């Protein structure tokens, strides 16, 4: 099976999955988090080089205080555990998004994990936390504008590849396949620049039930597609 170089996943459906079991939403997030650890192992086994997941959006702060607090608790334990996963899978971890809104100890854990894993190169894992694509683009423009004002970049030198260097995902190839679980068919402000040519795969399976079998199914569907990029299809 030919695997995509970069898979992006919108982890959706933890809450509905839990509700269907008569459990609180937080239980769904705990199971979703455990599933993320397993999927990282599966992705590595399959030979995918880049994985990016949408774990917490700039909009998710609007959820109930109880749910947000539960998620923060989960991030704390996950970021710590992720070091083991990084070591096992020789996986470099990077957080994309704006970490400045998180509590200082979470920001510290993010820095520690990124520093700890920075020399691994078998799997590159990006976790989107307090991420929104519009926010990322605006932050990038701000950095680029500062460089223009400082005379480091000439306005005429700004092209797509120059701009990409200012995004949170600088240096990472665009995703080949985007998977969204749990039935919704929208981007929800995720990687809008980077997904310009990406194949989309939507499944009704909620994130806590999305396992290796479902992942392989998504990759097979992707392989069966005819990717053209606006050029002429090869006969
Ligand atoms: C979407 O389900 C999920 C989230 C907003 C949070 C994602 C979090 C995890 C998978 C666990 C933690 C991840 C890390 C990186 C530690 P939802 O709550 O929107 O579900 P619903 O659409 O059914 O309500």
């Amino acid at each position: 099976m030919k695997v995509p170089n970069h898979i992006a996943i919108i982890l959706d459906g933890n809450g509905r999955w839990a509700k269907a079991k008569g459990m609180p939403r937080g239980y769904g997030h705990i199971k979703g988090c455990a599933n993320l650890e397993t999927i990282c192992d599966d992705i590595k086994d399959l030979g995918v080089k880049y994985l990016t997941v949408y774990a917490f959006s700039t909009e998710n702060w609007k959820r109930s205080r109880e749910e947000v607090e539960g998620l923060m608790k989960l991030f704390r334990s996950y970021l710590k555990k992720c070091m083991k996963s990084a070591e096992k899978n020789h996986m470099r971890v990077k957080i994309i998004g704006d970490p400045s809104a998180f509590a200082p100890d979470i920001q510290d854990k993010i820095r520690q994990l990124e520093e700890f894993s920075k020399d691994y190169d078998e799997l590159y894992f990006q976790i989107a936390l307090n991420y929104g694509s519009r926010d990322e683009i605006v932050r990038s423009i701000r950095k680029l504008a500062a460089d223009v004002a400082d005379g480091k970049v000439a306005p005429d030198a700004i092209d797509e590849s120059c701009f990409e260097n200012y995004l949170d995902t600088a240096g990472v190839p665009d995703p080949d396949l985007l998977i969204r679980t749990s039935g919704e068919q929208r981007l929800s402000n995720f990687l809008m620049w980077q997904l310009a040519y990406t194949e989309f795969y939507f499944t009704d399976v909620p994130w806590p039930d999305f396992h290796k079998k479902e992942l392989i199914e998504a990759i097979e569907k992707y392989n069966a597609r005819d990717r053209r990029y606006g050029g002429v299809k090869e006969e």
Side-chain angles (χ1 to χ4, degrees), residues 61-77:
W61 296 106
K62 293 180 190 149
R63 296 192 172 195
S64 74
R65 213 180 102 184
E66 188 193 354
E67 185 170 351
V68 171
E69 277 174 6
L71 279 167
M72 294 305 132
K73 207 170 144 199
L74 205 55
F75 293 158
R76 284 186 173 91
S77 68

Side-chain angles (χ1 to χ4, degrees), residues 192-211:
M192 291 190 300
W193 174 280
Q194 297 87 342
L195 294 174
Y197 295 101
T198 303
E199 294 286 333
F200 291 0
Y201 177 83
F202 299 107
T203 172
D204 288 337
V205 176
W207 173 248
D209 285 339
F210 189 91
H211 304 306

Side-chain angles (χ1 to χ4, degrees), residues 4 18 24 29 55 84 86 91 93 104 131 152 167 214 222:
H29 294 318
K84 285 219 166 67
M91 164 176 102
V93 189
Y131 177 88
K152 291 183 192 150
L167 291 168
E214 286 73 24
Y222 161 85

Side-chain angles (χ1 to χ4, degrees), residues 109-132:
K109 286 189 170 66
I110 289 172
R111 275 191 290 271
Q112 283 159 15
L113 176 59
E114 288 182 337
E115 176 61 26
F116 173 80
S117 65
K118 72 178 186 329
D119 294 326
Y120 291 131
D121 62 0
E122 288 178 32
L123 172 63
Y124 194 102
F125 181 34
Q126 300 187 113
I127 310 172
L129 287 179
N130 192 30
Y131 177 88

Side-chain angles (χ1 to χ4, degrees), residues 163-199:
F163 180 67
E164 279 172 350
N165 288 328
Y166 289 84
L167 291 168
D168 295 347
T169 53
V172 171
D174 291 341
D176 303 285
L177 171 64
L178 168 80
I179 298 171
R180 182 168 186 155
T181 57
S182 209
E184 312 292 347
Q185 301 197 357
R186 53 177 176 264
L187 276 189
S188 302
N189 203 13
F190 187 45
L191 301 178
M192 291 190 300
W193 174 280
Q194 297 87 342
L195 294 174
Y197 295 101
T198 303
E199 294 286 333

Side-chain angles (χ1 to χ4, degrees), residues 6-20:
H6 185 172
I7 296 182
I9 311 180
I10 300 178
L11 314 170
D12 198 10
N14 295 342
R16 279 166 285 168
W17 179 88
K19 196 175 166 214

Side-chain angles (χ1 to χ4, degrees), residues 29-42:
H29 294 318
I30 291 169
K31 290 293 178 186
C33 187
N35 194 42
L36 185 56
E37 288 186 59
T38 317
I39 282 285
C40 265
D41 296 347
D42 297 336

